[in-house]
Amino acid sequence: MAIFKGSGVAIVTPFKEDGSVDYEKFAEVIEYQIAGGTDCIIVCGTTGEASTLTHEEHLDCIRFCVEKVNHRIPVVAGTGSNCTETAIYLSQEAEKYGVDGLLVVTPYYNKATQKGLIKHFTAVANSVKTPIILYNVPGRTGCNIQPETAVYLAKNVENIVGIKEASGNISQVVKLMSLAEGCIDLYSGNDDQVVPLLSLGGIGVISVLANVAPKETHDMVASFLEGDVAKSREIQLKAIPLCNALFCEVNPIPVKKGVELMGLCGGTLRMPMTEMEPENAEKLKKAMADFGVKLA
């Protein structure tokens, strides 16, 4: 059974002006997402700036999110690392908090061969019982999970059940789903390719867009899964200008500005992320308004 179907938000981590985690605002953002119809919360992923959290902060954010959500919707924790032992540690700790799934990214910087990826993901998966979603985002990691590798892992490791595909390579996803024959749950990792991946057998998205438009992102997926492809496509195409604005600078710089423009939380980032360029912020503000996002 899938960890979730629908729209999973790759949720931001709110920071105070001094850079510490703002748990009061984090709680408000979580409630906003649940009220907006989000189907799953993915905490401490790329958008959550996990790479600049200490291990203690990382785990505290996961624990806080699980407790705040309190079983209302699934919570998936990002626990990947370029160090296998670190990924095992984070995954085991997150499992203790009762997460519904783990999102494990490919090793970055030091990367890995396909054989290395199999060993890495197998070691992490065997250290826990929680179901795992592989995260393929070669544009950020420099490491690509080949379709054959993803299928091998899904067929040979019991708790590797899904993949967040953010390669942007539709041909690769076609090959993956052809080889998989239903053995792996596919989630779009790109907000501008949700409908294309759903058409190939995907069951949802792990979304940046959902931070500022939770209902619309949920409706895009739900409509498709309910058979209303026309409505799903209409939402997807209408969202493209906003998707473009949300990725006009390195994620999560724009989306952090977006939630700030909505008054949900401050837009403070941790270095090396820096404040959005003013002209890009204006473009984002216009795209949000045009899409119907209520600004503060």
Side-chain angles (χ1 to χ4, degrees):
M1 184 175 177
I3 299 171
F4 78 95
K5 292 183 179 181
S7 171
V9 62
I11 201 164
V12 298
T13 303
F15 297 127
K16 298 178 181 178
E17 288 187 8
D18 65 3
S20 60
V21 178
D22 190 336
Y23 287 102
E24 182 178 344
K25 287 297 182 182
F26 196 17
E28 292 178 16
V29 171
I30 290 168
E31 292 299 334
Y32 175 77
Q33 286 297 321
I34 294 174
T38 288
D39 300 289
C40 178
I41 291 178
I42 293 80
V43 60
C44 291
T46 305
T47 308
E49 296 177 78
S51 57
T52 58
L53 297 173
T54 66
H55 289 168
E56 292 76 16
E57 289 173 327
H58 191 142
L59 294 172
D60 283 345
C61 285
I62 294 170
R63 184 191 304 111
F64 180 86
C65 186
V66 169
E67 291 175 355
K68 186 65 181 175
V69 172
N70 193 25
H71 306 291
R72 287 177 287 174
I73 58 176
V75 173
V76 171
T79 55
S81 172
N82 64 334
C83 170
T84 304
E85 289 303 317
T86 300
I88 288 173
Y89 166 69
L90 293 173
S91 298
Q92 289 177 333
E93 291 300 306
E95 182 172 71
K96 294 175 185 177
Y97 307 149
V99 297
D100 299 281
L102 301 170
L103 181 68
V104 183
V105 72
T106 51
Y108 39 86
Y109 185 70
N110 52 358
K111 305 191 285 187
T113 63
Q114 297 303 301
K115 180 180 178 181
L117 290 177
I118 289 171
K119 286 183 172 292
H120 172 80
F121 286 121
T122 300
V124 175
N126 285 343
S127 75
V128 294
K129 295 181 180 178
T130 303
I132 287 174
I133 300 171
L134 308 175
Y135 181 13
N136 191 36
V137 59
R140 289 193 84 121
T141 65
C143 187
N144 183 40
I145 306 175
Q146 295 293 342
E148 295 85 353
T149 302
V151 170
Y152 176 89
L153 287 164
K155 287 184 175 180
N156 290 278
V157 185
E158 184 177 3
N159 57 329
I160 292 180
V161 300
I163 185 167
K164 175 186 177 182
E165 243 299 340
S167 67
N169 186 338
I170 296 293
S171 294
Q172 176 169 298
V173 180
V174 170
K175 184 176 182 181
L176 166 66
M177 296 306 281
S178 174
L179 293 173
E181 299 178 320
C183 76
I184 194 165
D185 293 329
L186 173 66
Y187 298 96
S188 175
N190 293 321
D191 286 314
D192 62 348
Q193 295 182 345
V194 179
V195 171
L197 265 63
L198 290 174
S199 75
L200 295 171
I203 61 171
V205 60
I206 296 178
S207 171
V208 174
L209 173 67
N211 280 282
V212 298
K215 182 181 185 301
E216 292 83 356
T217 311
H218 164 83
D219 289 350
M220 188 194 322
V221 181
S223 297
F224 192 101
L225 296 180
E226 292 165 4
D228 193 345
V229 176
K231 181 180 178 181
S232 179
R233 181 175 61 241
E234 179 183 355
I235 298 170
Q236 173 78 93
L237 295 177
K238 183 182 178 183
I240 294 300
L242 179 51
C243 293
N244 291 339
L246 285 168
F247 288 90
C248 69
E249 292 187 26
V250 176
N251 180 48
I253 292 173
V255 73
K256 263 300 188 61
K257 175 59 69 174
V259 293
E260 180 183 29
L261 290 170
M262 296 170 70
L264 284 176
C265 63
T268 302
L269 297 143
R270 283 190 174 177
M271 290 179 65
M273 298 289 114
T274 53
E275 180 73 12
M276 195 175 190
E277 294 297 328
E279 61 270 25
N280 287 334
E282 284 302 313
K283 291 177 185 177
L284 174 62
K285 186 175 182 180
K286 182 180 185 304
M288 291 173 67
D290 290 345
F291 192 66
V293 178
K294 187 177 181 181
L295 303 176

